[in-house]
Structures are given as C-alpha cells and as structure tokens.
C-alpha cells in the first residue's frame, strides 16, 4: 500500500515513481550492508541480545514487507551460527548464552579514581608490595576517568600493587579478568590473578600504547587468598607499566538475553508454521523449536546452578548465584527483563500450545499491568517494581513488544490499553513538533533522550491506534543517517 508522503520535500523521490516504501527499503538495505554481519558470530550474550536480535527481527519484517525469502535465508544463516555458539558456561546441562558485562565487579576502585586515606598517590582498596610510593603510584596518564596507576621497575626487587578479590565471588565459575595496560622501556606489564602463589590467569602488555585485553579463567572454589596483582614480568628489566580499569567479573547467563535472542528465532518458527509456502524451512524451524523448548525455556526453572527463577507470579533473579549484585534491592527482575521472557513464551505458545507457557507469560503480563499508572489517559510505569525511576524510552521497546504480543493473542491487554500506551508517547513524551519531533527519555515526559529517541521500533507499532506516530517516526528518519541495529529494526518497521 502506498503511504501518504509527509512533510513535502522531505523525501527525495526519483523519477516521480519512488514510493515511500522504496525509500525505507533503500535506507534499510544500505545500513544492513554495513552492519548486518557485524554481530551474529560474537558469542557474547549482551552483543547478541542488544544487537543481533534486532537484526534478525528486522529480517522477518523485511520478508513480510517484500515477500523476498532471501531475508529469511539471512536469518537462518545468523540463527544457525548464534545457536552453534550457545554455551553451557555453568555446567548445568542447558545451553544458552552468557556475558561478563553485567555481573558484579569483584574488585573495588577498579579505575583507581579514589585515593587511599592520607596518601593521594595510592589508590584506595589497593596495597603496595615492597614500595612506599616512589615506584608504585597513581597517575593522570590514564585511559579512562581521571586516574590510572603506574608500576616502575627499579631492577632490584619486585614492585607491585595488589587487591584481594571480593570473598563473595562464585567459586568454580567462569570469570573474566580484563583491563587496559601499556608499557614503556623494556618491561612487560602484567595483570595476574593468583590463588596464593599459583597463577590462575594473566594478561601481558607489551605495547607502548594503551590496549585492552581480557582472559577467561575458572575461579577456585576455595583455598589461599585470591588476589589480583599489577606488576612486571621481570623486576630486572628497566621501564614502567601502566594500568587502568582492571576488573574481574563472572560470565553468567541472563534471562533477558536468552529471551531477546530467542524471540526472533521463535517468530521465525511461528511464521513457518503459519505459512504453507514456507514449508521448505520446516526442518530448520523444527530444529530451532527443539532448541528453545529443551534448552532455553527449562534453563530458567531447572538449572542446578542458577536455581528456579520463577516465583509463582513473575521471574526473579537467579536465587543461587549473584549475577547482578551482591547487595540485591529486590529479587524481582526489572520489567523489561521479565517481559522479554514472557514475550518469548507467548510466541512459542502460538506454536506448541503449551498451557504452562501461556500461564507464566500471562501472569508476568498481569504483574506488569498492575504496576501501570493511568495519568490523564496515558500509562506511566517504573523501570522495575523496586524503584521509582521511570521506564526509559529504549527499554520500553522491550516492554511494549511483550504487551503487543499479548494483546494480539487476546491475552491480558486490550485495545484500550494500547490506546493508553500510544498516549504515553503522544501526550507525555513527544515535543509536539510534526517536522522536528523529539521524545523524552522517560515515559512520564522527563529527561532528554540524547539520540536514544531514534530507538522506536515497538513504539512505531502503536501507529495502529494513531497513524500520526508513523509520520513522526518517519520525520525523524527522513534525513537521519542510521548507524546501528536499533536504527535498522526501526527502518524495517517503517517499511513493514
């Protein structure tokens, strides 16, 4: 269907025959050619969830808009690789994906920004070894923040800096030691994790320019004090080594990542099941379905490592492992994280009819709905049940995707609810300009989004209840140069 052209002159039409759909497809194809292959080979769950999942979902959108199965072939190539890279990092028998990006950092003051009391040259929480400050000290020659540390060789004895690892670490689990480093002179800089005198893992720095390195290692379950040391490979060699942002944190699975990665795979399975013309993909869809149903879904209730994360109403943080924080505010997951998994379950229920899937998805949706506040016909809600910080525009895309999926299945949410959500965007978040629309950072209308208001793919679907939303998003993208996967999926939704 030919869409109405908006803001005359905004879109450059060629030969008088280019439709608005052509413009969005051209923009989409240009960006996909740049970034389409950028993330699906990366096994890190954060990269997959907040990058690759949007790319795969966009392929489904473009297929539905164009009927070109080449986009489904791309999705299959990506999904095959993503699933092949799934891991069982915790040894619980279930495959999935994992990252160290969100787990507790088991070292205090990793960027050396804070000084020890009474000694501005010594970073707080760190201890010098065989030095009083002349050879081991803070420095403003840093990679990030305002401070780093430097360890200078005196070629006579070891000069080091160390810190004991937080005793709350998960022994026997996979951890990532990482940091920035560089050297001057002939020394090799080294970050070492030791269990007493035994080296667990280490990073060597031989460049005179700052470089980031990381290594994965399995932490011992107990024994001698576990320490991170900043040092040289040899104390007899002249020179210095500098270090910044030295961190140690666990590599854990996260429910929202499994959900976000799984959703486009499940949507592909559903599409194939509902489309006889796509029967050639049936075997592949069956493989994907089996993976989701036997690995991803049961992982979050049956894992002997994580514990059962279903609390009877919604999903909670893993009860047996501190994957977020050692000082939990609440066991409930933030809305976007629980709703992402509810979204996955709802899509899968449309294929397998498993009543337990739908029951848990609906319970989570009802929990979220109870936390919505009607403000002048618009819904306002918080980021999580345990905070008064409002949901932000970007994470709300995850929430809205689940709400829309529930509504379209005739569950929990109604058309009146969808109208309230579109009112959130129109009456609370929009600046009122049709030609230069800007949206707030938070759903109550506060905060400046600072570019995040281009992440509008789920908000765009509310155009079903107010066509102007499509025009506002189109106005934002007409002259905008998109650059990432969040932009890519918004372009695919404009096309669809």
């Amino acid at each position: 269907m030919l869409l109405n052209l908006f803001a005359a002159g905004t879109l450059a039409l060629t030969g008088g025959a280019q439709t608005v759909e052509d413009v969005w497809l051209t923009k989409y194809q240009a960006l996909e050619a740049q970034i389409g292959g950028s993330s699906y080979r990366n096994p890190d769950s954060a990269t997959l969830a907040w990058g690759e999942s949007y790319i795969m979902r966009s392929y489904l959108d473009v297929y539905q808009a164009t009927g070109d199965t080449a986009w489904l072939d791309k999705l299959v190539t990506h999904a095959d690789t993503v699933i092949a890279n799934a891991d069982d990092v915790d040894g619980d028998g279930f495959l999935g994906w994992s990252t160290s990006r969100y787990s507790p950092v088991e070292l205090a003051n990793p960027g050396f920004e804070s000084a020890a009391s009474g000694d501005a040259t010594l970073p707080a929480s760190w201890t010098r070894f065989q030095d009083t400050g002349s050879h081991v000290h803070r420095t403003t020659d840093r990679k990030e923040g305002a401070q780093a540390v430097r360890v200078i060789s005196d070629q006579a004895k070891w000069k080091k800096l160390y810190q004991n690892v937080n005793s709350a670490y998960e022994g026997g689990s996979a951890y990532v030691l990482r940091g920035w480093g560089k050297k001057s002179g002939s020394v090799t800089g080294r970050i070492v994790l030791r269990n007493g005198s035994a080296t667990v893992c280490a990073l060597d720095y031989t460049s005179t320019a700052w470089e980031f390195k990381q290594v994965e290692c399995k932490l011992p379950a107990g024994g001698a004090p576990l320490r991170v040391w900043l040092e040289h490979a040899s104390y007899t060699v002249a020179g210095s080594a500098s270090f910044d942002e030295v961190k140690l944190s666990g590599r854990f699975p996260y429910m929202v990542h499994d959900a976000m990665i799984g959703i486009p795979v499940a949507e592909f399975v559903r599409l194939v099941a509902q489309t006889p013309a796509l029967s050639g993909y049936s075997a592949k869809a069956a493989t994907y379905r089996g993976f989701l149903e036997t690995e991803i879904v049961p992982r979050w209730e049956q894992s002997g490592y994580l514990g059962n994360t279903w609390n009877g109403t919604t999903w909670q943080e893993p009860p047996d492992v501190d994957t977020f924080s050692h000082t939990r505010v609440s066991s409930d997951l933030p809305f976007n994280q629980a709703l992402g998994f509810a979204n996955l379950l709802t899509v899968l229920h449309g294929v397998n009819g498993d009543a337990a899937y739908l029951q848990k998805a609906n319970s989570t949706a009802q929990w979220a709905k109870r936390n919505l506040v009607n403000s002048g016909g618009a819904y306002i809600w918080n980021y999580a049940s345990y905070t008064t910080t409002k949901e932000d525009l970007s994470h709300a895309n995850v929430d809205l995707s689940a709400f829309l999926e529930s509504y379209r299945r005739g569950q929990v949410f109604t058309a009146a609810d969808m109208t309230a959500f579109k009112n959130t965007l129109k009456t609370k978040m929009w600046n009122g300009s049709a030609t230069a629309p800007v949206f707030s950072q938070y759903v109550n209308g506060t905060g400046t989004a600072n570019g995040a208001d281009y992440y509008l793919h789920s908000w765009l679907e509310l155009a079903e209840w107010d066509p102007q939303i499509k025009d506002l998003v189109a106005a934002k993208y007409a002259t905008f140069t998109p650059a990432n996967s969040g932009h890519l999926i918004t372009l695919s939704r404009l096309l669809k």
Side-chain angles (χ1 to χ4, degrees):
M1 180 180 68
L2 181 62
L3 302 178
N4 292 329
L5 297 184
F6 61 92
T10 300
L11 296 178
L13 303 183
T14 60
Q18 190 180 26
T19 67
V20 173
E21 290 97 328
D22 293 333
V23 173
W24 298 132
L25 182 58
T26 298
K27 278 181 171 282
Y28 175 87
Q29 289 173 322
L31 181 57
E32 195 279 332
Q34 295 175 30
I35 70 169
S38 64
S39 57
Y40 74 96
R41 298 179 184 89
N42 191 324
D44 184 85
S45 69
T47 299
L48 294 174
W50 308 119
E52 177 57 28
S53 75
Y54 296 142
I55 294 172
M56 288 194 291
R57 290 189 88 176
S58 78
Y59 291 156
L60 291 168
D61 291 339
V62 180
Y63 162 73
Q64 290 171 320
T66 66
D68 186 350
T69 57
W71 299 107
L72 297 184
D73 295 337
K74 278 182 174 285
L75 185 148
V76 167
T77 297
H78 286 219
D80 282 350
T81 303
V82 169
I83 291 172
N85 284 335
D87 59 54
D88 183 14
V89 65
D90 48 33
D92 64 0
F94 294 105
L95 293 173
W97 302 276
S98 58
T99 185
S100 63
R101 194 178 303 183
Y102 300 104
S103 57
V105 175
E106 308 295 4
L107 296 173
N109 195 23
F112 316 107
E113 300 301 311
S114 301
S117 177
D119 185 354
T121 69
L122 176 65
S125 302
W126 294 84
T127 302
R128 293 189 181 100
F129 179 78
Q130 296 190 155
D131 190 66
T132 59
S134 58
H135 291 80
V136 180
H137 53 77
R138 297 165 82 213
T139 174
T140 56
D141 178 14
R142 77 284 187 192
K143 176 59 183 179
E144 298 180 13
Q147 297 283 331
V149 292
R150 180 167 292 152
V151 180
I152 304 169
S153 173
D154 72 353
Q155 302 181 71
K157 59 183 178 180
W158 290 110
K159 302 292 183 178
K160 303 183 183 184
L161 191 68
Y162 71 88
Q163 183 181 148
N164 288 350
V165 173
N166 187 333
S167 61
Y169 74 85
E170 301 288 342
S173 296
Y175 273 68
V176 176
L177 177 67
R178 60 197 186 276
W180 290 91
K182 67 174 183 175
K183 66 102 174 200
S184 67
S186 301
V187 303
T188 294
R190 180 169 288 174
I191 301 174
V192 188
L193 175 65
R194 290 192 176 95
N195 184 29
S197 60
T199 296
V200 179
C201 52
L203 300 166
D204 283 354
Y205 296 87
T206 58
S207 172
T208 57
W210 284 107
E211 57 181 342
F212 177 81
K213 291 190 174 185
Q214 64 180 25
V215 63
E216 184 173 306
C217 45
K218 196 165 190 175
L219 268 57
L226 197 62
R227 288 177 174 171
V228 169
W229 294 82
L230 310 181
E231 58 185 46
H232 303 134
S234 171
Y235 69 80
T236 63
V237 179
S240 68
S242 299
F243 306 97
D244 203 0
E245 296 299 326
V246 177
K247 297 178 180 179
L248 177 72
S249 50
R251 184 159 72 87
F252 300 125
Y254 291 88
M255 171 177 277
V256 66
H257 294 169
D258 276 6
M260 294 298 290
I261 301 163
I263 286 169
V265 178
E267 289 177 333
F268 170 81
V269 172
R270 181 175 62 182
L271 176 67
V272 171
Q274 295 175 347
T275 312
L278 298 179
S279 60
Y281 294 96
S282 295
K284 187 65 68 174
T287 299
Y288 295 164
R289 174 182 165 183
F291 175 80
L292 294 173
E293 292 178 352
T294 62
E295 304 288 350
I296 299 302
V297 174
R299 179 188 207 184
W300 295 99
E301 290 186 56
Q302 300 173 24
S303 169
Y305 177 80
L306 299 167
N308 184 3
T309 63
W310 176 252
N311 66 12
T313 299
T314 185
W315 304 97
Q316 62 182 1
E317 296 181 16
D320 296 345
V321 185
D322 289 337
T323 60
F324 288 97
S325 170
H326 295 312
T327 56
R328 301 182 182 187
V329 175
S330 168
S331 62
D332 284 350
L333 288 172
F335 290 118
N336 77 88
Q337 297 187 24
L339 287 166
F341 205 73
N343 192 346
L344 174 64
L345 292 182
T346 305
V347 175
L348 285 173
H349 175 265
V351 178
N352 63 23
D354 190 320
Y357 282 33
L358 189 62
Q359 185 275 322
K360 290 182 173 68
N362 284 352
S363 178
T364 302
Q366 289 160 350
W367 164 74
K369 187 172 182 177
R370 288 193 296 272
N371 282 274
L372 301 172
V373 175
N374 193 310
S375 174
Y379 278 150
I380 307 299
W381 68 103
N382 297 333
Y383 173 76
S385 61
Y386 54 79
T387 181
T388 58
T389 299
K390 301 308 172 191
E391 182 63 289
D392 63 84
L393 178 146
S394 181
H395 285 101
N397 282 290
V398 182
D399 305 343
L400 288 169
S401 180
F403 297 155
L404 285 157
E405 184 64 42
S406 182
Y407 163 76
R408 288 167 180 159
R409 292 292 309 283
Q411 305 293 321
V412 183
F413 288 93
T414 66
D417 294 319
M418 298 300 108
T419 298
F421 287 125
K422 74 88 177 173
N423 287 341
T424 302
L425 188 70
K426 287 287 298 292
T427 68
K428 299 292 185 182
M429 303 175 71
W430 177 39
N431 69 345
S433 172
T435 56
V438 176
F439 302 101
S440 65
Q441 175 72 12
Y442 300 105
V443 295
N444 65 346
T446 63
T448 303
N450 292 324
D453 62 337
Y454 284 93
Y455 302 153
L456 293 161
H457 57 279
S458 292
W459 293 101
L460 181 54
E461 295 197 66
L462 297 173
E464 182 177 339
W465 291 272
D466 188 337
Q468 189 184 22
I469 291 176
K470 173 205 66 181
D471 296 334
L472 296 177
V473 178
K476 288 190 71 66
Y477 273 77
T479 58
F480 172 63
T481 301
N484 60 42
S485 58
H487 302 152
L488 188 72
I489 189 173
T490 304
L491 285 170
S492 72
R493 295 285 162 87
L494 279 167
L495 175 63
K496 188 178 74 168

